[in-house]
Amino acid sequence: MKKLFVFFLLFTIYSSAQQVDLSYYLPSENYDSSIPKPKDIIGHEVGEWHITHDKLVEYMKALAASSDLISIENRGKTYEGRPLLLLTITSAENHKNLEQIRKEHIDATNDASLSVDNPIVVYQGFSIHGNEPSGSNAALAVAYYLAASKTAETQDLLKNTVILFDPSFNPDGLQRFAYWANTNRSKNINPDPNDREYSEIWPRGRTNHYQFDMNRDWLPVQLPESKARIATFHKWLPNILTDHHEMGSNSSFFFQPGIPSRTNPLTPQMNQDLTKEIATYHAKALDKIGSMYYSEESFDDFYYGKGSTFPDINGSIGILFEQASSRGHAQETTNGILTFPFTIRNQATAAFSTLEAANKMRLKILKYQQDFYKESRNTGSKNAIVFGDEKDAAKTFHLAEVLKRHQVKIHEIKSDFTQNGKNFKKGYSYVVPMNQKNHRLVKAMFDVRTTFKDSLFYDVSAWTFNHAFDVDYAENISLSKAGNEITNLVLKPGSVSFKSDYGYLMPWNEFYAPKALHAILQKGLRAKVSMKNFKNGGISYEYGTIFIPVQNQKLDALEMFTFLGEVAKESHININAVNTGLNDGIDLGSNNFRAITKPKVAMIVGDGVAGNDSGEIWHLFDQRFDMPITRLDTRNFNRVNIAKYTHIVIPSSGLEKSAITKLQTWVRNGGVLVGYKNSARWLASNKMININFKRAKRDSIKDVSFENRSLKSGAQVIGGAIFEAKLDRSHPINFGYKDDKLALFRNSTMFMEADKDSYNNPIQYTSEPLLSGYISKENAKVVPNTVPFKVSRFGRGRVIVFTDNTNFRAFWFGTNKLLMNTIFFGDKM
């Protein structure tokens, strides 16, 4: 009976807390009655239901229509077609001169002699992780307050501040999570954490459509949502950018600074000092409403691809907020029942305290930004960097594209030249002068770092872009090598050299060659792959060159020429026509040209499968190469007839035992199975591939206190570093690579021993493999000469495994081809 009474009391306390209106979030004062409240538009109080993105858009449009303090723009759309809104909130007078204010703000970053007594610019962004929704829900209350408040303090704030207000960084994820939370909400809210409401189904609402964590894309800028916000950032160069998140339900509220020793050394100390001063405003505001909080005890400012850290290398101040998550409408926690409205109130409070700090610290923060760029201009080198790939214009273009999105000036090279044994070819290479405004950002993008103050990282410890894109790179290049500045960056056009009655040769080096080959096979044309090097017509061709004969095809010679011209144009590749099959080396009729069959690829997804990894593979096929990939859900796998698939990809996962017999039969009959990361262990444990794993030897731990025990174990994690491997380019897994070395991204501690026969180790880490990033001394002893790739025959099929993700975050262009090689040439390995 006593337990029943306590349970009833908890529900009574919860119910009274849940029945809130705007007064719960906002101070009591007179508001402009002409401004619609959120409930007037969306039909419910803030926090009563989870806001869906369509309703959020509806309210923001209504707010802008009713207030001369707000303008609104749609900067694009998500993969699911949702608008990427931005509200600009400032005084009516400022709105009349908004472009002039922006221009003067930017001018002050270019000229240190100009006055900085201008409005401060604050970019406030909410819920980049869709299932961390308190931010976007708080945006309703915050935007209403800024439009409707009539106090002198608010008027002064809007006079001195331009607020770039992004109500949802992740529309697709927010919609997905709101649907889940709302469809599982009971009339009588049940805060039991075991209730279905608090356990989203796979892949959950954290990510965008293709399951990317968009809070890792501020630097690579590969996704449409990122492209919109980065364009806004560089257009305005805000002084402060806030990023509102959620964390575990048993936590409280976090605001930056993070752990001081985990700040990127390229970030100025003044940035952290100002962040700490701003933090006093958060503390004061949260004290006022009695909310618990902490700072400087977790999280970090190291990876510039996060929203709270990216501003720090751009003369701005990034601030992370982490609110304990109700993960629905209410949840029992160690701190009592955590209600959704409570989480919203904390986020709104932090949004307001940021604006208060910005207003009161305005001149100091404006001066900091001006000094940041003054120092940047004064410390820039008079030389340049150059990057390129003489055989892959598209991959090089996409790296240049990232730089252009960050408003970095790039030039074509004046003429071909060689530096440090690398050939830089005009049209395939770019020069980046280092005496430009954003040279610090360029330095951060190409940074190589192997020593660190700290051994724990919230994210990756390396992202060096020349390694990520697998391009040749050189520093301290004379500016005399630079040609014209590129203002309109375009992909190199593709073409077919001439019409042939014999055949066509397509080198496999270009990034979009897999897209072209798929289109050719999809058309029903025959194609073959070269297993050896050769010359035809004086032109050298490497392993992996594709031969498309003209005879015995479903298209006649003219039709084929026309079709291949379309393919070359769409894939930005050059296809060479030939008049003879007589080569220097293997001839075109040789058995060393192997027939390629059209692949039909499936991927296992669902519960137990790493959502980010599977999303990256899906994106690569669907967006980059226009190739279909069937996603087989783990819930239905045992009922699916998999005989029609030639390839099955298993992202990092551990499938149920019942799946193994089915897969074994399928591979024995000729299927190619490709497993990533933990899938390798699962396949090895089920005797589908023979792998000897190595582990780091850990000595007994001495002189480490109980308090610091987690730091010691955490130091053994490889959060993300870059390692060098040597390649056997005659092996089909390496077709299309021009060099004998390749940089690989690794974020696992799975190490596979090399085979005793060297030809079975086509990708093998070198004896000193670390190129950039952190690795513990223990793990550093294990990595050398291990292998990140293995392939084994199994009946008539193949089992292929990778220890790490070759498609990391959509910007690791340099290793995308490894997966494509398993798809087109896996049966030849």
Side-chain angles (χ1 to χ4, degrees), residues 23-53:
S23 64
Y24 181 66
Y25 310 107
L26 305 178
S28 298
E29 56 185 68
N30 292 324
Y31 291 95
D32 186 342
S33 61
S34 68
I35 304 299
K37 297 178 180 178
K39 185 178 181 180
D40 299 334
I41 304 300
I42 66 176
H44 61 81
E45 293 286 3
V46 174
E48 183 180 0
W49 294 88
H50 281 254
I51 191 69
T52 56
H53 188 259

Side-chain angles (χ1 to χ4, degrees), residues 543 726-734 740 758-759 761-763:
Y543 306 105
K726 56 185 179 181
L727 305 183
D728 172 0
R729 291 193 292 129
S730 72
H731 194 286
I733 191 61
N734 296 321
D740 295 329
S758 62
Y759 53 78
N761 304 314
I763 308 176

Side-chain angles (χ1 to χ4, degrees), residues 181-297:
N182 290 338
T183 55
N184 286 284
R185 178 186 187 273
S186 301
K187 182 184 77 170
N188 299 299
I189 303 299
N190 184 358
D192 186 341
N194 296 320
D195 189 79
R196 188 170 188 259
E197 180 179 348
Y198 310 109
S199 299
E200 293 174 82
I201 57 171
W202 191 95
R204 294 172 283 280
R206 177 182 178 89
T207 56
N208 77 341
H209 176 77
Y210 284 100
Q211 299 157 219
F212 283 93
D213 183 336
M214 292 194 301
N215 196 40
R216 305 299 186 266
D217 195 43
W218 290 76
L219 200 59
V221 205
Q222 295 300 308
L223 307 171
E225 301 91 339
S226 309
K227 293 172 188 177
R229 66 174 181 265
I230 291 302
T232 297
F233 184 95
H234 287 299
K235 178 181 178 180
W236 274 97
L237 290 181
N239 301 98
I240 299 173
L241 185 145
T242 60
D243 192 13
H244 293 253
H245 288 253
E246 291 182 4
M247 54 183 169
S249 300
N250 290 320
S251 300
S252 58
F253 191 88
F254 169 85
F255 50 81
Q256 283 182 310
I259 295 176
S261 62
R262 299 178 195 170
T263 300
N264 194 300
L266 295 177
T267 298
Q269 180 58 45
M270 180 57 73
N271 171 284
Q272 295 296 289
D273 295 342
L274 290 171
T275 303
K276 194 165 185 175
E277 185 175 347
I278 293 170
T280 64
Y281 289 84
H282 307 320
K284 181 181 70 173
L286 292 167
D287 285 341
K288 189 174 181 179
I289 62 172
S291 286
M292 296 187 296
Y293 56 84
Y294 68 99
S295 186
E296 296 187 281
E297 295 179 40

Side-chain angles (χ1 to χ4, degrees), residues 444-516:
M445 292 177 69
F446 293 93
D447 189 40
V448 173
R449 196 169 298 276
T450 56
T451 58
F452 302 86
K453 285 185 179 180
D454 206 314
S455 57
L456 271 69
F457 299 87
Y458 187 68
D459 200 75
V460 298
S461 61
W463 52 87
T464 315
F465 274 68
N466 52 299
H467 292 321
F469 282 78
D470 184 37
V471 293
D472 296 326
Y473 173 81
E475 297 177 337
N476 299 318
I477 300 299
S478 170
L479 287 174
S480 64
K481 301 288 188 184
N484 295 327
E485 182 181 349
I486 298 172
T487 55
N488 183 30
L489 185 68
V490 293
L491 264 170
K492 195 174 180 64
S495 64
V496 178
S497 58
F498 61 85
K499 175 183 169 295
S500 173
D501 292 323
Y502 192 90
Y504 298 88
L505 292 171
M506 183 178 77
W508 193 243
N509 305 96
E510 282 282 359
F511 182 79
Y512 287 110
K515 178 180 178 179

Side-chain angles (χ1 to χ4, degrees), residues 46 114 129 208 290 316 524 578 600 653 673:
V46 174
L114 294 177
H129 296 144
N208 77 341
S316 182
V578 295
K600 188 170 181 59
S653 66
L673 187 62

Side-chain angles (χ1 to χ4, degrees), residues 408-573:
V408 171
K409 294 179 180 180
I410 61 174
H411 295 246
E412 63 182 8
I413 65 173
K414 192 173 291 183
S415 59
D416 298 356
F417 69 93
T418 300
Q419 186 80 21
N420 302 333
K422 301 294 185 182
N423 298 321
F424 294 97
K425 183 178 175 183
K426 190 170 183 178
Y428 292 74
S429 303
Y430 301 92
V431 172
V432 183
M434 294 301 283
N435 61 346
Q436 60 176 296
K437 180 177 181 177
N438 286 335
H439 89 87
R440 280 180 166 177
L441 177 61
V442 175
K443 185 176 180 180
M445 292 177 69
F446 293 93
D447 189 40
V448 173
R449 196 169 298 276
T450 56
T451 58
F452 302 86
K453 285 185 179 180
D454 206 314
S455 57
L456 271 69
F457 299 87
Y458 187 68
D459 200 75
V460 298
S461 61
W463 52 87
T464 315
F465 274 68
N466 52 299
H467 292 321
F469 282 78
D470 184 37
V471 293
D472 296 326
Y473 173 81
E475 297 177 337
N476 299 318
I477 300 299
S478 170
L479 287 174
S480 64
K481 301 288 188 184
N484 295 327
E485 182 181 349
I486 298 172
T487 55
N488 183 30
L489 185 68
V490 293
L491 264 170
K492 195 174 180 64
S495 64
V496 178
S497 58
F498 61 85
K499 175 183 169 295
S500 173
D501 292 323
Y502 192 90
Y504 298 88
L505 292 171
M506 183 178 77
W508 193 243
N509 305 96
E510 282 282 359
F511 182 79
Y512 287 110
K515 178 180 178 179
L517 179 56
H518 176 262
I520 290 166
L521 297 175
Q522 185 73 14
K523 191 70 173 179
L525 299 177
R526 292 183 297 106
K528 295 185 174 185
V529 60
S530 169
M531 305 299 289
K532 291 190 176 183
N533 296 335
F534 64 95
K535 284 185 178 181
N536 182 293
I539 300 174
S540 296
Y541 293 93
E542 298 180 335
Y543 306 105
T545 298
I546 306 301
F547 173 49
I548 307 106
V550 172
Q551 299 304 313
N552 298 323
Q553 298 275 24
K554 63 183 292 185
L555 301 180
D556 64 29
L558 179 59
E559 290 172 331
M560 179 175 288
F561 172 65
T562 302
F563 172 71
L564 290 179
E566 294 169 354
V567 169
K569 182 180 178 181
E570 292 176 3
S571 300
H572 306 279
I573 61 171

